[in-house]
Amino acid sequence: MRHLLDTKTLSRHDALRILDVAEDMRDTQTREIKKLPTLRGKTVVNLFFEDSTRTRISFEAAAKRLSADVINFSAKGSSVSKGESLQDTAQTLQAMGADAVVIRHGASGAPQTLATSGWISAGVVNAGDGTHEHPTQALLDAFTIRKRRFGADSRGRDLTGVAVTIVGDILHSRVARSNVWLLSTLGADVTLVAPPTLVPQDVSAWPARIRYDLDDALAAGPDAVMMLRIQLERMNAAYFPTEREYSRRWGLDARRVASLPADSIVMHPGPMNRGLEISADAADSPRSTVLEQVANGVSVRMAALYLLLAGERDTTNAEEAAR
Ligand code: NCD
């Protein structure tokens, strides 16, 4: 793997490879000393043009636990706010010797531009670009679902037969897009639930079914229900009448959680709007995997950085050449 830009073009083989290496990484994270020497001497740059708490910290923890040097670069307080272009920023990072660049950007396609521009030779990891994709989030979600289902026996397994229902602001969600592609590649059965105003126009081309009624969708007994944040910052119009009405029709509360099969899980990528798309008791219920997702995120990002920077460059090239 040279870059990790999306899940739409990620093969089943590469997805399972990342998930399986993440299992190995997770095992090391239960040890008293969590740090591995694997990426000693490598430099990982976190290039964040959009706000982030958990994703940035998660990549930082992942890189540090592999002994890489980490440079955190956030657009606020940098020359980007003085109008410096992505090209100039990238070339500066190249001159500093970055081996991997983890980029979050408000523009869909920015990581792809960085990876294919020739400005840098570093591997590029997409940490969320506009409303396009957020591949490591989908990988950590798939990892969490697989772990809950198969436990210690997860390695090598895909998600055939697993029903996942993704609920809420699909329109603005790169998490939903990355999950739809990855989950379907892994064989899961994906249902999307949203108010009609929050369904993207091109959704009929996605490998997922659409429902508008949450109670109907939950009655089908999904194995995982993934709630999405209402992305108020990306909304320039009214997409639903009131927050109260949204919660009543599309919010997950204790009653809806109780209607699910006993082993179904409740997921959310964070940050949560408690009381809007998810009630506090649903978010904190024993069914909720929110904090497991955060913990698994570090293992999955360790795996991605490892595969980009250390692991498989040669074998991957050899595999590519053999195709
Ligand atoms: C998501 C994001 O930034 O796309 N959050 C995250 O990475 N943990 C989802 C969101 O912001 O709602």
Side-chain angles (χ1 to χ4, degrees), residues 131-203:
T131 59
H132 175 230
E133 283 231 27
H134 191 355
T136 58
Q137 178 68 44
L139 285 159
L140 75 88
D141 291 334
F143 183 94
T144 302
I145 295 169
R146 189 174 82 156
K147 195 79 200 157
R148 273 289 181 124
R149 196 168 176 93
F150 300 111
D153 200 22
S154 292
R155 283 181 183 77
R157 295 195 186 254
D158 69 10
L159 300 178
T160 301
V162 178
V164 182
T165 297
I166 304 177
V167 186
D169 187 357
I170 312 284
L171 181 64
H172 300 104
S173 180
R174 53 199 178 203
V175 174
R177 286 172 180 75
S178 284
N179 264 294
V180 164
W181 302 120
L182 179 66
L183 291 170
S184 70
T185 296
L186 293 175
D189 182 65
V190 184
T191 301
L192 305 174
V193 183
T197 49
L198 289 174
V199 174
Q201 284 199 330
D202 61 344
V203 83

Side-chain angles (χ1 to χ4, degrees), residues 54-55 104 134 137 174-175 229 231 269-271:
R54 73 208 77 217
T55 303
R104 168 166 289 196
H134 191 355
Q137 178 68 44
R174 53 199 178 203
V175 174
R229 184 173 66 87
Q231 303 204 9

